[in-house]
Amino acid sequence: GNVWQFEGVKVETGQQASSFRNSVRVTGTKTLGALTAKVVAETNPDGLQQAVQEYLVQDSRGVSNHGNDDVSDVLTPQLLEYRMLRFPLQTGTLFEAVNKTGLNFGDLDGDGRNETGSVLVQVSVAAFEAITVPVGAFVNTAKIETRIITTVTASSNGVKVTLTATQTDWLAPGIGPVKRQTQTSGEAFSETITEELSGYFVDGQGKGAVSLTIA
């Protein structure tokens, strides 16, 4: 039942900046074998106009991702399960969440053969700091940096393309996510997506305008 409302801005090479809204809500639980995952639904992550549900499991060691309901996502099932956070959260700590090669990326170049590649994901606790977003100011937020390096080899000509992305999440005590910024760069391409909290209702306490409907 907890819900967070975000205001987002996307800035991409050669394009005008665009704004969007995204709602995040814990809608229930899902049984995955012997585990019970929380279902976290987003209406419009990264302004992609596509609702997605993720399945997250929290235990004493941290938080891990156990997939989503996006049938077009061919990559995530090959990475599961992977840890998004490792407890305790301590400044300067870093761990390797994913390091896999030989992954199937589907047919990206349209030649009838699937591309292969690799994904490396490293997660670090950069700092604990104060931050101000549209809904207000928060202190002692955990600044989590997730660095993702993706390399894909084109089946048509053997050319390798590398994309580097850094997703930074700010997590406030007792509230959860208050800001997310993803910076992605590759050859002649760069994109920055920022989402900031504009309203929330968490554990019976709320502030700002919040939509309780998940499309």
Side-chain angles (χ1 to χ4, degrees):
N2 289 348
V3 60
W4 301 260
Q5 187 86 42
F6 294 91
E7 300 290 336
V9 176
K10 180 185 295 187
V11 180
E12 185 179 336
T13 302
Q15 304 290 330
Q16 289 188 337
S18 59
S19 59
F20 63 94
R21 291 182 176 180
N22 180 32
S23 293
V24 180
R25 187 181 184 186
V26 181
T27 61
T29 60
K30 182 179 179 67
T31 301
L32 301 172
L35 299 174
T36 299
K38 291 183 179 179
V39 180
V40 179
E42 297 195 43
T43 59
N44 187 25
D46 292 339
L48 295 176
Q49 305 299 319
Q50 179 180 350
V52 175
Q53 291 186 351
E54 284 191 313
Y55 312 125
L56 308 181
V57 174
Q58 178 179 321
D59 56 28
S60 60
R61 298 176 300 159
V63 179
S64 56
N65 189 302
H66 291 254
N68 57 53
D69 67 345
D70 183 358
V71 295
S72 66
D73 182 359
V74 299
L75 184 59
T76 298
Q78 302 175 71
L79 307 179
L80 300 177
E81 62 187 48
Y82 63 88
R83 194 161 291 279
M84 302 168 65
L85 290 175
R86 179 175 289 176
F87 297 152
L89 299 180
Q90 296 177 327
T91 304
T93 57
L94 181 146
F95 70 93
E96 197 171 85
V98 175
N99 188 354
K100 292 193 175 184
T101 60
L103 299 171
N104 176 13
F105 282 79
D107 183 12
L108 300 177
D109 59 10
D111 68 347
R113 293 178 294 171
N114 291 344
E115 274 59 63
T116 58
S118 62
V119 173
L120 172 65
V121 180
Q122 296 174 322
V123 182
S124 63
V125 181
F128 287 87
E129 61 186 22
I131 188 172
T132 300
V133 293
V135 78
F138 299 90
V139 297
N140 201 35
T141 64
K143 182 181 180 181
I144 311 297
E145 292 185 348
T146 303
R147 182 173 171 85
I148 307 164
I149 301 175
T150 305
T151 301
V152 180
T153 302
S155 58
S156 57
N157 55 18
V159 172
K160 289 187 177 182
V161 176
T162 298
L163 283 178
T164 301
T166 300
Q167 177 177 305
T168 306
D169 294 274
W170 286 263
L171 309 175
I175 302 298
V178 296
K179 182 176 179 179
R180 175 170 64 195
Q181 183 174 76
T182 304
Q183 296 176 302
T184 305
S185 61
E187 187 174 349
F189 171 81
S190 67
E191 179 185 73
T192 300
I193 301 173
T194 304
E195 297 186 36
E196 295 185 325
L197 191 67
S198 59
Y200 64 88
F201 187 82
V202 176
D203 295 342
Q205 301 295 320
K207 186 177 181 181
V210 174
S211 171
L212 296 178
T213 302
I214 295 294

